[in-house]
Amino acid sequence: LMGAPYDWRLAPRRLEERDAFFSKLKADIERAVQQNRRPAIVIAHSMGNLVLQYFMAWLEATQPRTWRAWIDRHLWCYVGLGAPLLGAVGALKPTLTGETF
């Protein structure tokens, strides 16, 4: 179990600029996967869900050819708790259909 605390006062793009947050998060996930010999389960709460969304966009922007392979290799699943993603109605379709990110 590992945490990824961030400064919620900063815009997500500033998290990487000031704190190298996404770079550190990527390295932490890689280290956890290596130690546990299995992909990670990511659980995000509230605004952490949006930070994870920005992390995925950052991966795609910084690794355009390999970001999907990185996700497949390092992330088993994502659980969003209290996510402000399209409101409560937006969560209905993935819940009923099994749609994933």
Side-chain angles (χ1 to χ4, degrees), residues 4-94:
Y6 64 95
D7 188 342
W8 57 269
R9 299 167 300 175
L10 294 178
R13 65 178 170 74
R14 292 279 294 138
L15 289 172
E16 181 63 19
E17 290 171 8
R18 190 188 82 174
D19 302 334
F21 178 79
F22 297 134
S23 297
K24 290 176 184 175
L25 179 60
K26 181 177 178 278
D28 287 345
I29 291 171
E30 289 170 345
R31 191 170 22 264
V33 168
Q34 183 179 24
Q35 288 174 353
N36 294 301
R37 297 187 188 109
R38 64 181 65 169
I41 298 171
V42 175
I43 301 172
H45 177 259
S46 190
M47 292 299 287
N49 290 281
L50 296 180
V51 172
L52 182 64
Q53 185 178 23
Y54 277 95
F55 172 69
M56 297 297 180
W58 174 83
L59 274 177
E60 184 177 9
T62 58
Q63 301 176 18
R65 294 185 179 150
T66 60
W67 70 280
R68 284 190 188 271
W70 188 92
I71 290 171
D72 291 342
R73 192 168 42 254
H74 293 90
L75 301 181
W76 177 258
C77 70
Y78 155 69
V79 179
L81 304 174
L85 305 170
L86 302 176
V89 176
L92 186 58
K93 182 180 177 188

Side-chain angles (χ1 to χ4, degrees), residues 85-101:
L85 305 170
L86 302 176
V89 176
L92 186 58
K93 182 180 177 188
T95 301
L96 295 175
T97 65
E99 181 181 306
T100 62
F101 69 94

